[in-house]
Amino acid sequence: MAQNGTAQNGPVEGTASVPQPLKVQDIRHTKIFINNEWHTSSTGRTFPTFNPATGVKLCDVEEGDKVRQTGLFMTLSAKAAQQRGSAWRRMDASSRGRLLHRLADLMERDRLLLAVDPGLREPFLQSFYVDLDGSIKTLRYYAGWSDKVHGKSLPIDESFMCLTKHEPVGVCGAIIPWNFPLLMFSWKIGPALSCGNTVVVKPAEETPLTALHMGSLIAEAGFPPGVVNIIPGFGPTAGAAIANHMDIDKVTFTGSTQVGQLIKEAAAKSNLKRVTLELGGKNPCIVFSDCDLQLAVEETHKGAFYNQGQCCTAASRVFVEESIYEEFVLRSVERAKKVVIGDPLDPLTSHGPQISRRQFLKIMDLIDSGKEEGARLEYGGVAVGGAESLFIQPTIFSNLRDHMRIAKEEIFGPVQCIFSFKSQQEVVERANRSPFGLVSAVFTGSVDRALSMSAALDTGTVWVNCYNALHAQTPFGGFKMSGHGRELGEYALAEYSEVKAVTIKLRETL
């Protein structure tokens, strides 16, 4: 079994209830999903996908290219399915909701299989109980909204009457990241389909298998051909094609700020398509001396190290009031020492590998920069498991300065940076001194302070005495360079619908 501070390789021990490593024969879908059918690449190219815990290749996946393949699925599939008179456009709203519920039912049935692919990257139990649960709840939430998206009757001057209608945007491109492939898939397609759009999904090249399995469930659920299409491929080709294509009406993207800027530029230069961006973060957590200290330690630990720190919401800047700073650091180190590093499929494991060698090297470079710039390494800071391993020990730095690289750059790895502060005004200024504004958290026993801090912090989400409290009903999105637009909740529906005003001249006599 996995041990604290070490990485495990080899077969998973345990009973039949423990998931087994994904084998080639278990992988059912590796082709491009277009029009409810499976297609090979028009160029004949494929790309490999790997298990980062072992380095073993899982399979080769068909690669969608930027010319013929993208033109095929967009012009003949998603666009056709969106045309007036199509089966999808004629379908009543409650039937769309029933299809989303049916898809959620099929996910429940295939829950174990769906959890195993992302479970190779994050601990399986997290994938099974958190990602799957959140994905299914998201689809059911938007299934309920399908027949409740409606307009208004507006009072206007003189003898006129105005009605508003909410209509689908059209064909929506969804470019999703590798860190939560199934959850992000559901976040994108749920509101899009609820509002009657069609979708073209490009999963991350590191994690295409979950999305492709979802394609088979979409066809089985009874969605008309062309409503959802899935093209595995690379950002500069398949992703760029979605952002630039004149027949894509909207693009939604979760990923890095740098790529988000490229997508927004491409959208503007093509057909001014609508854009929703959920981008990077350098998220401040502020711990006041009147808080429940152990709760704050536990929640900020979860925020920093969940999914090996590979979260846009990672709690990478923890500001602790000076009077409790040393105790907080001490308790945080003791908590990090309890982390079990190992095979993600082992139920005892709480910390898996980083996604790739490139990401691993980036994180280690930032850890080295923290040491070189004078931050105090309290724990970790090393790779675990051999030269080819992608496991990094949970790392904690204290005595940081705001100018350091690890204090400013998004690390996207298991690194917790703990700062001290003296006053509320000081910590607000430092927390907001960032180009990002995705999420923040406040730990305090004072209601007044919680309210004043939530008003002062420049982030799209403020958590009070909790962290990573994400729910299908709650809007999520960032300020500043963390993106724009909102996902989840009722607010996301506005991202996938157009408002049409219908003004009618009334007769002045009966």
Side-chain angles (χ1 to χ4, degrees), residues 218-501:
I218 284 163
E220 184 179 351
F223 284 88
V227 172
V228 179
N229 307 274
I230 303 165
I231 176 167
F234 294 88
T237 50
I242 289 173
N244 285 282
H245 204 286
M246 297 297 290
D247 286 327
I248 292 280
D249 302 296
K250 173 196 170 61
V251 62
T252 174
F253 169 74
T254 297
S256 72
T257 297
Q258 293 76 14
V259 175
Q261 289 173 315
L262 294 175
I263 288 172
K264 192 167 184 179
E265 180 182 10
K269 288 183 176 179
S270 53
N271 59 344
L272 278 176
K273 57 176 60 67
R274 293 175 61 172
V275 179
T276 299
L277 300 174
E278 195 269 280
L279 307 175
K282 193 66 180 174
N283 309 297
C285 295
I286 301 170
V287 181
F288 288 96
S289 60
D290 64 348
C291 75
D292 180 331
L293 185 58
Q294 193 55 41
L295 172 69
V297 168
E298 199 64 37
E299 291 294 310
T300 55
H301 172 90
K302 178 177 68 177
F305 300 121
Y306 188 83
N307 199 26
Q308 298 79 249
Q310 297 173 140
C311 307
C312 58
T313 61
S316 54
R317 289 192 298 157
V318 182
F319 295 92
V320 181
E321 196 163 6
E322 198 172 59
S323 62
I324 60 169
Y325 182 76
E326 296 298 333
E327 179 66 18
F328 183 92
V329 172
L330 178 64
R331 292 196 192 190
S332 295
V333 170
E334 290 305 309
R335 178 63 182 87
K337 288 179 179 178
K338 297 177 182 177
V339 167
V340 179
I341 305 171
D343 184 341
L345 292 178
D346 188 320
L348 292 184
T349 295
S350 58
H351 191 90
Q354 307 310 130
I355 185 66
S356 65
R357 176 62 50 185
R358 181 176 65 177
Q359 187 68 17
F360 173 90
L361 293 174
K362 174 196 170 188
I363 297 165
M364 293 306 298
D365 176 63
L366 282 164
I367 289 173
D368 290 341
S369 77
K371 299 174 186 177
E372 293 165 2
E373 290 186 300
R376 179 187 296 165
L377 179 63
E378 297 282 356
Y379 184 71
V382 295
V384 179
E388 298 303 315
S389 169
L390 298 181
F391 293 84
I392 298 175
Q393 194 173 34
T395 299
I396 298 176
F397 283 101
S398 68
N399 289 2
L400 294 106
R401 298 293 178 266
D402 293 349
H403 68 272
M404 296 176 178
R405 283 182 63 198
I406 55 173
K408 296 190 299 182
E409 298 182 25
E410 185 177 33
I411 301 171
F412 228 66
V415 181
Q416 185 180 46
C417 299
I418 307 177
F419 306 76
S420 67
F421 72 91
K422 294 181 179 180
S423 70
Q424 182 169 324
Q425 180 178 349
E426 171 209 338
V427 76
V428 167
E429 291 174 356
R430 292 171 66 192
N432 288 338
R433 198 182 302 144
S434 169
F436 300 109
L438 188 58
V439 303
S440 60
V442 178
F443 293 89
T444 179
S446 165
V447 174
D448 288 346
R449 176 176 281 154
L451 292 172
S452 64
M453 289 295 295
S454 65
L457 291 168
D458 295 336
T459 58
T461 293
V462 181
W463 289 307
V464 178
N465 295 330
C466 59
Y467 206 85
N468 275 341
L470 296 164
H471 303 91
Q473 303 89 343
T474 307
F476 181 75
F479 290 3
K480 299 186 282 188
M481 293 187 75
S482 289
H484 59 239
R486 290 296 178 268
E487 301 197 87
L488 300 180
E490 182 180 359
Y491 289 87
L493 300 170
E495 306 288 332
Y496 293 94
S497 59
E498 295 281 13
V499 178
K500 177 182 288 185

Side-chain angles (χ1 to χ4, degrees), residues 17-273:
S17 62
V18 177
Q20 298 302 307
L22 202 62
K23 300 181 179 66
V24 173
Q25 60 265 32
D26 298 325
I27 300 171
R28 303 173 186 175
H29 304 290
T30 61
K31 294 183 179 180
I32 299 165
F33 183 72
I34 302 170
N35 221 33
N36 282 8
E37 298 173 340
W38 299 101
H39 298 259
T40 57
S41 171
S42 61
T43 63
R45 289 196 299 265
T46 62
F47 63 93
T49 183
F50 295 91
N51 177 349
T54 63
V56 173
K57 186 175 88 168
L58 295 172
C59 63
D60 290 309
V61 176
E62 297 288 331
E63 179 187 343
D65 67 82
K66 65 181 179 180
V67 184
R68 181 170 175 262
Q69 209 83 56
T70 51
L72 174 65
F73 71 63
M74 283 190 240
T75 59
L76 299 184
S77 182
K79 188 173 175 64
Q82 185 56 229
Q83 294 299 310
R84 296 184 186 280
S86 69
W88 181 240
R89 287 298 293 268
R90 292 198 315 271
M91 185 179 293
D92 58 73
S94 59
S95 295
R96 291 201 305 268
R98 283 194 292 272
L99 286 179
L100 283 168
H101 274 303
R102 174 62 178 152
L103 180 58
D105 291 340
L106 294 174
M107 291 173 69
E108 294 272 16
R109 183 196 70 189
D110 287 3
R111 189 172 186 136
L112 182 63
L113 184 59
L114 285 166
V116 166
D117 178 35
L120 296 173
R121 294 157 177 88
E122 65 174 310
F124 170 79
L125 293 181
Q126 292 179 10
S127 175
F128 189 84
Y129 288 111
V130 179
D131 295 3
L132 261 294
D133 197 52
S135 300
I136 292 166
K137 285 182 176 179
T138 297
L139 293 186
R140 295 202 188 281
Y141 174 79
Y142 285 110
W145 267 111
S146 295
D147 58 0
K148 301 172 187 66
V149 178
H150 54 75
K152 300 178 180 179
S153 173
L154 304 177
I156 55 178
D157 296 339
E158 301 176 353
S159 301
F160 293 94
M161 178 181 183
C162 183
L163 305 174
T164 62
K165 299 175 62 181
H166 290 214
E167 298 188 350
V169 172
V171 180
C172 300
I175 303 173
I176 60 178
W178 47 259
N179 55 341
F180 297 103
L182 184 60
L183 195 62
M184 295 298 102
F185 188 95
S186 300
W187 282 22
K188 306 299 185 189
I189 71 164
L193 299 180
S194 179
C195 292
N197 298 279
T198 59
V199 189
V200 177
V201 180
K202 193 207 85 67
E205 57 268 27
E206 296 90 348
T207 54
L209 300 181
T210 308
L212 292 174
H213 188 83
M214 286 295 293
S216 71
L217 300 187
I218 284 163
E220 184 179 351
F223 284 88
V227 172
V228 179
N229 307 274
I230 303 165
I231 176 167
F234 294 88
T237 50
I242 289 173
N244 285 282
H245 204 286
M246 297 297 290
D247 286 327
I248 292 280
D249 302 296
K250 173 196 170 61
V251 62
T252 174
F253 169 74
T254 297
S256 72
T257 297
Q258 293 76 14
V259 175
Q261 289 173 315
L262 294 175
I263 288 172
K264 192 167 184 179
E265 180 182 10
K269 288 183 176 179
S270 53
N271 59 344
L272 278 176
K273 57 176 60 67

